[in-house]
Amino acid sequence: MIPSRKIRLLAAASALFIFLAAPPVTAREKARASGAPAAEARPALWKISDRDTTIYLFGTIHILPEELGWFRGPVKRAFQSADQVVTETMTDSPETLQAIFAEKGIRRDGRTLRESLDDMQRGILNKSLSNLGLAVNSFDQFEPWYAGLLLSLIPLKAAGYDQAKGVENQIDAMAKASGVARHPLETAEYQIGLFAALPEASQRAYLSEVLEQLPTLKEDVAKLVNAWRRGRAEELAELLNDDESDETMRKVLITDRNQAWAKWLEGRLAQPGVVFVAVGAGHLAGAGSVQEQLSRDGIRAVRVQ
């Protein structure tokens, strides 16, 4: 879990959930997740249902700066009532992820990353790396999309953002601990492949926009987190869809996946049970959202929180 700078940066942070293999959540962290952390959150929750099936749709933030009290009220009850927990993907094998990264994220065209950029892009990359205290050739072996993802992580980690505090990481850990059935909507290889298969121009544009946004990345992501924790879906959609620029990335990374997930949800409604679905919040907000895709087939999502 991309038409604008803000959506692209959110996608980068979301992708880190699978890409960089978040450490396992410890028993202590599980207890904190189900307790009452200092900061309280009431993120948005929807449901779709028919006579014998209820599916909850919960938008997540995959990397957070602090422990937030999101696991309470309707969200906690929905999760605990589920006989199946569905997430974007599962990360049970960090070694497999590393192998996929090595296959798809490393350049094999005989050129370095900087050689593939124009003079302006190269200069901005060199300056950004120097500002971060890195050698200018640090990312030479990477494809543009992978460099962009890694670059977006550095200032977030410096600002205290932690994958172990990420919502989907905690949900996955609690599902494992409870023994409830788990189901991924996509494989990690598929998700990484979406980035790797983007046209070269889209990859370079993505990297350029990450570089442009680095000075304000902390503040921009903080706005997204604040909108999420307050359950302000409209504000979240506005932040995510500001300054649209690359329709190819939006189609590949957002719209096409939303359509596929909506079809999966429609099929799941044909089976009885209670399902808790947790995906990146950007997929449940704004034009082309999963809820909008469902509504086109006559399925109404009802806001629960």
Side-chain angles (χ1 to χ4, degrees):
M1 142 174 53
I2 295 191
S4 70
R5 287 192 295 270
K6 294 182 179 65
I7 260 194
R8 292 179 184 196
L9 293 171
L10 179 65
S14 298
L16 295 172
F17 169 73
I18 65 164
F19 289 164
L20 300 182
V25 177
T26 65
R28 180 182 177 186
E29 287 165 335
K30 291 175 190 172
R32 287 165 56 196
S34 59
E40 185 174 352
R42 289 184 59 83
L45 177 71
W46 292 264
K47 74 173 181 179
I48 59 175
S49 60
D50 60 13
R51 182 178 56 84
D52 59 0
T53 309
T54 298
I55 301 177
Y56 293 98
L57 303 175
F58 182 53
T60 65
I61 297 290
H62 301 306
I63 184 168
L64 290 172
E66 60 181 329
E67 199 71 54
L68 297 177
W70 58 269
F71 192 65
R72 63 180 66 200
V75 172
K76 183 176 182 178
R77 290 192 293 271
F79 178 87
Q80 292 180 335
S81 71
D83 46 54
Q84 184 180 40
V85 172
V86 176
T87 51
E88 288 188 31
T89 191
M90 293 192 298
T91 59
D92 292 338
S93 175
E95 295 78 15
T96 299
L97 286 177
Q98 291 169 5
I100 298 171
F101 261 142
E103 176 189 351
K104 298 185 182 296
I106 305 299
R107 302 185 67 88
R108 289 178 171 79
D109 61 358
R111 295 194 301 164
T112 66
L113 172 61
R114 286 180 299 148
E115 288 172 343
S116 73
L117 305 176
D118 62 35
D119 290 342
M120 179 177 293
Q121 291 172 322
R122 188 181 308 111
I124 295 172
L125 175 61
N126 289 345
K127 182 177 180 181
S128 297
L129 290 170
S130 295
N131 288 343
L132 292 170
L134 300 172
V136 295
N137 64 349
S138 297
F139 287 5
D140 273 0
Q141 63 181 318
F142 299 141
E143 296 286 0
W145 66 269
Y146 191 28
L149 290 176
L150 293 175
L151 276 167
S152 66
L153 173 65
I154 294 170
L156 288 177
K157 288 189 73 68
Y161 283 78
D162 185 355
Q163 291 149 285
K165 298 186 181 78
V167 175
E168 201 161 25
N169 192 28
Q170 294 187 46
I171 286 173
D172 197 48
M174 289 187 291
K176 287 180 187 177
S178 67
V180 67
R182 299 156 62 217
H183 176 78
L185 290 168
E186 300 167 341
T187 66
E189 184 171 12
Y190 173 77
Q191 289 193 344
I192 295 171
L194 291 177
F195 279 87
L198 286 168
E200 182 77 11
S202 293
Q203 291 192 36
R204 288 199 301 267
Y206 167 62
L207 174 59
S208 292
E209 293 188 352
V210 169
L211 291 170
E212 181 182 346
Q213 199 76 357
L214 279 178
T216 60
L217 177 58
K218 176 184 173 182
E219 291 77 11
D220 289 334
V221 174
K223 291 177 183 177
L224 293 175
V225 172
N226 188 56
W228 172 82
R229 68 185 291 266
R230 295 177 183 274
R232 295 177 177 173
E234 297 296 329
E235 180 182 344
L236 187 62
E238 184 177 348
L239 287 169
L240 292 174
N241 291 285
D242 188 33
D243 299 329
E244 294 190 2
S245 59
D246 194 320
E247 287 301 322
T248 297
M249 292 193 74
R250 178 175 178 80
K251 182 178 186 300
V252 170
L253 299 178
I254 301 293
T255 308
D256 287 355
R257 296 169 72 205
N258 288 354
Q259 291 173 347
W261 296 353
K263 290 299 181 186
W264 185 90
L265 291 166
E266 291 175 25
R268 186 60 183 80
L269 278 173
Q271 307 171 45
V274 179
V275 185
F276 187 89
V277 178
V279 298
H283 295 280
L284 302 180
S289 66
V290 171
Q291 299 95 313
E292 184 176 291
Q293 306 292 347
L294 289 168
S295 70
R296 293 173 182 174
D297 289 334
I299 299 174
R300 179 170 173 259
V302 178
R303 181 79 179 257
V304 177
Q305 172 171 286

